[in-house]
Amino acid sequence: MANIFKQKETTFNPEGYIPKHIAIIMDGNGRWAQKKLLPRIAGHKVGMDTVKKITKSASQLGVKVLTLYAFSTENWKRPNDEVSFLMKLPVEFFDKFVPELIKENVRVNVIGYIDQLPTHTQDAVKRAVEQTKDNTGMILNFALNYGSRAEMITAVQEIVKSGMKPEEVTEEVVSNYLMTGSLPKELQDPELVIRTSGEERLSNFLLWQMAYSELYFTDEYWPDFTQDSLKQAIASFQSRNRRFGGIINK
Ligand code: FPP
């Protein structure tokens, strides 16, 4: 019997539709390292190099927003030394990579509870946002200390505080109050969400925004994810029939 859960084998079409907003749950750094008998942080370090490669590839393919889940509100539960390593990564990443981001015309944006991060991490993030603010190409949107439920609670609190009448609260209003509300309107929701490492769950990531996203799961660990892997994910997206609850084909 055909396996209905198996992802279809498809070929990437460079002339085909490229999703404007791609969001990635970069999972499997720890397992990648453990498989090689390395400490978990070695996986995060190589994962950072993958971030650089995939940022460049996505930008060159014409993606408009690339959202990367770099640290969740739940990741504080990890051992202190791993958390402190993860907090240093943005500093290293931005210090070394911003000139290339500028060359690529990429603008850095951040969603998440940034004010709860260590000062050195906050400073690096704010510097990168400032240094790239005039770039007009792809938006590299880092989710750092981000959690979707917390984001929704904050949005509801802000809406209540604004004194808005209940009937004024529309989908558009809620979208604008979420952290992705600062992105251009037509780019706030990811069209394609990728998760690496074989796990098939959403882990409190962009739950409102992915109401109609296409989901793509791959067994590859994040450090092994390549430009070809990205193209494969886009190829799968290109083969799908998006109906948004209706019956008309794309
Ligand atoms: C999930 O793998 C990965 C993370 C929690 C961290 C992701 C961070 C990076 C890829 C580097 C980020 C780079 C910048 C510039 C901020 P895991 O540790 O949960 O892996 P496991 O499931 O195999 O244990």
Side-chain angles (χ1 to χ4, degrees), residues 6-246:
K6 193 172 179 292
Q7 271 162 356
K8 272 191 259 171
E9 288 298 324
T10 48
T11 315
F12 172 69
N13 175 6
E15 310 298 322
Y17 184 85
I18 304 291
K20 293 189 184 72
H21 182 167
I22 298 180
I24 309 184
I25 303 176
M26 309 180 287
D27 198 10
N29 290 348
R31 276 165 287 164
W32 179 91
Q34 278 160 346
K35 214 175 82 187
K36 294 185 153 27
L37 305 178
L38 295 168
R40 290 177 54 82
I41 57 170
H44 296 314
K45 183 110 180 144
V46 179
M48 185 176 77
D49 293 334
T50 307
V51 170
K52 292 182 188 168
K53 286 182 212 150
I54 295 304
T55 298
K56 238 173 140 171
S57 304
S59 159
Q60 288 169 1
L61 286 169
V63 173
K64 306 287 181 215
V65 178
L66 178 67
T67 298
L68 300 177
Y69 204 8
F71 194 86
S72 79
T73 44
E74 288 71 39
N75 285 151
W76 297 106
K77 293 180 206 150
R78 295 182 176 216
N80 285 344
D81 55 346
E82 184 170 341
V83 169
S84 103
F85 186 83
L86 284 169
M87 288 300 138
K88 282 192 208 125
L89 277 185
V91 182
E92 186 182 337
F93 175 82
F94 290 125
D95 284 353
K96 289 200 186 136
F97 198 47
V98 159
E100 221 167 306
L101 292 176
I102 293 173
K103 216 164 37 181
E104 278 287 327
N105 197 21
V106 169
R107 173 157 78 85
V108 175
N109 189 66
V110 180
I111 56 172
Y113 295 89
I114 301 306
D115 51 350
Q116 294 167 7
L117 299 175
T119 317
H120 61 278
T121 315
Q122 284 191 46
D123 289 348
V125 166
K126 287 178 191 161
R127 226 174 15 247
V129 169
E130 174 61 26
Q131 287 169 322
T132 61
K133 70 176 191 312
D134 296 324
N135 294 348
T136 54
M138 188 180 82
I139 299 171
L140 175 59
N141 188 35
F142 274 105
L144 262 178
N145 195 23
Y146 172 86
S148 194
R149 288 187 170 186
E151 176 193 38
M152 288 192 217
I153 292 169
T154 304
V156 172
Q157 289 169 337
E158 295 297 324
I159 290 171
V160 171
K161 272 194 239 161
S162 78
M164 211 175 282
K165 296 197 191 89
E167 60 274 20
E168 289 171 344
V169 182
T170 60
E171 281 194 17
E172 195 181 344
V173 168
V174 174
S175 290
N176 285 334
Y177 272 86
L178 295 174
M179 290 165 173
T180 41
S182 65
L183 297 171
K185 198 169 148 33
E186 70 287 2
L187 299 175
Q188 289 173 358
D189 297 342
E191 290 178 296
L192 170 63
V193 177
I194 299 170
R195 182 170 190 147
T196 59
S197 91
E199 306 294 352
E200 300 189 354
R201 55 178 171 267
L202 304 178
S203 300
N204 204 12
F205 186 47
L206 301 176
L207 299 180
W208 169 278
Q209 295 88 335
M210 61 167 96
Y212 283 103
S213 304
E214 295 296 327
L215 307 181
Y216 179 85
F217 300 103
T218 169
D219 287 341
E220 275 178 310
Y221 293 142
W222 177 248
D224 290 330
F225 195 81
T226 61
Q227 178 173 37
D228 279 343
S229 319
L230 178 65
K231 286 184 178 165
Q232 194 49 53
I234 297 174
S236 171
F237 176 91
Q238 287 174 336
S239 75
R240 309 226 185 148
N241 193 352
R242 306 188 78 207
R243 292 187 293 276
F244 302 97

